[in-house]
Amino acid sequence: MSPVLPPTAVVFDLDGTLLDSRGDIVAALNHALLTTGRSPQPAQVIVRLVGDGSRALCARAAKIPEDAPEVDELVRLFLDYYKQHPLDFTRWAKGALEAIEALASMENMALGICTNKHRSATDVVLRALGIEDRFGAIVAGGDTKERKPDAAPLLLAAKQLGAMPAAVVMVGDGPQDILCARNAGTWAVGVESGFSTVETLVQAGPDVTVRDLSMLPGIVQRWREPTTKIKLR
């Protein structure tokens, strides 16, 4: 069932949603793999592994269990490299800056980030971009015991923004984001231009999908209109 409150907050995923960060993720991960004597992986393979945090990413790329002791070293190497090279290849996703500006200009609208990206890497990237103060809440990997698709990270972001979950719009490019929104009782917008396939995104059950973030402000504004029919799915 879709939320029944007009949106008062929009919470974004980071990688694949606000940022096209695939180049820097691929470089950092292949550095970790090569340093530990493993074979590098093609970019298109690595991108499909992104979304569940750095530990899951490293384990999947190395084809070992997530709880294997060797993963600790892979994560350390990955994060160390990534924090030294946060923006070598990273670019804003299409329409991202415009969407942030348009949403921020709406009355009584709060903005946040909810990502499975490790907290240290998230902070480095946002500082390098100079936008950390644009968001009233930034919830990253490790801030809660559970990660998306569990509801906990998004509920924490909603609490920090002072918004009821039913009035929050979760925007993401992966099924983790959409399922997190469903679990938290928020609106869910799927971004088709991210890292996941459109089919995978749609199967997760968003209220709506957008080609890119340029379409987002108009949709949020429509949901804020008192005459809007809430049921979209």
Side-chain angles (χ1 to χ4, degrees):
M1 182 176 179
S2 295
V4 294
L5 296 179
T8 61
V10 177
V11 177
F12 293 92
D13 173 51
L14 195 56
D15 295 314
T17 301
L18 282 180
L19 302 177
D20 182 352
S21 51
R22 70 190 77 197
D24 288 313
I25 292 173
V26 168
L29 183 55
N30 276 335
H31 166 78
L33 292 172
L34 285 166
T35 302
T36 56
R38 295 176 170 87
S39 299
Q41 297 293 319
Q44 62 268 29
V45 171
I46 291 175
V47 168
R48 296 296 181 220
L49 304 178
V50 174
D52 291 317
S54 57
R55 189 172 187 87
L57 173 64
C58 290
R60 291 168 182 170
K63 300 177 182 176
I64 56 179
E66 194 171 330
D67 59 357
E70 306 95 291
V71 179
D72 293 339
E73 179 68 0
L74 284 166
V75 171
R76 184 188 68 78
L77 290 165
F78 169 77
L79 290 175
D80 284 351
Y81 186 95
Y82 194 93
K83 286 184 285 186
Q84 293 174 32
H85 304 271
L87 298 182
D88 286 1
F89 306 107
T90 292
R91 301 292 182 268
W92 286 102
K94 183 178 179 181
L97 278 175
E98 295 81 0
I100 291 171
E101 293 291 341
L103 291 166
S105 70
M106 294 183 184
E107 187 176 0
N108 298 321
M109 177 62 73
L111 301 181
I113 288 175
C114 181
T115 176
N116 282 338
K117 192 183 194 77
H118 194 277
R119 163 56 69 178
S120 62
T122 297
D123 288 344
V124 167
V125 169
L126 293 179
R127 279 198 301 269
L129 290 168
I131 60 162
E132 67 270 30
D133 60 350
R134 301 295 301 274
F135 301 95
I138 300 172
V139 178
D143 289 353
T144 58
K145 181 179 178 181
E146 304 297 335
R147 64 193 181 198
K148 297 181 294 183
D150 190 272
L154 183 52
L155 291 176
L156 177 59
K159 181 179 180 180
Q160 292 178 354
L161 293 171
M164 296 182 64
V168 172
V169 180
M170 177 68 211
V171 183
D173 69 306
Q176 303 91 339
D177 305 305
I178 307 307
L179 294 174
C180 175
R182 298 275 77 95
N183 290 332
T186 76
W187 298 90
V189 176
V191 182
E192 297 177 1
S193 56
F195 295 169
S196 297
T197 65
V198 175
E199 292 77 14
T200 300
L201 192 63
V202 170
Q203 286 173 3
D207 291 296
V208 67
T209 65
V210 295
R211 290 189 306 275
D212 57 66
L213 290 177
S214 66
M215 302 172 64
L216 180 64
I219 290 171
V220 172
Q221 183 59 49
R222 179 157 56 92
W223 285 345
R224 285 162 64 90
E225 299 296 332
T227 57
T228 296
K229 296 294 183 181
I230 299 299
K231 190 66 175 177
L232 297 178
R233 290 189 291 122

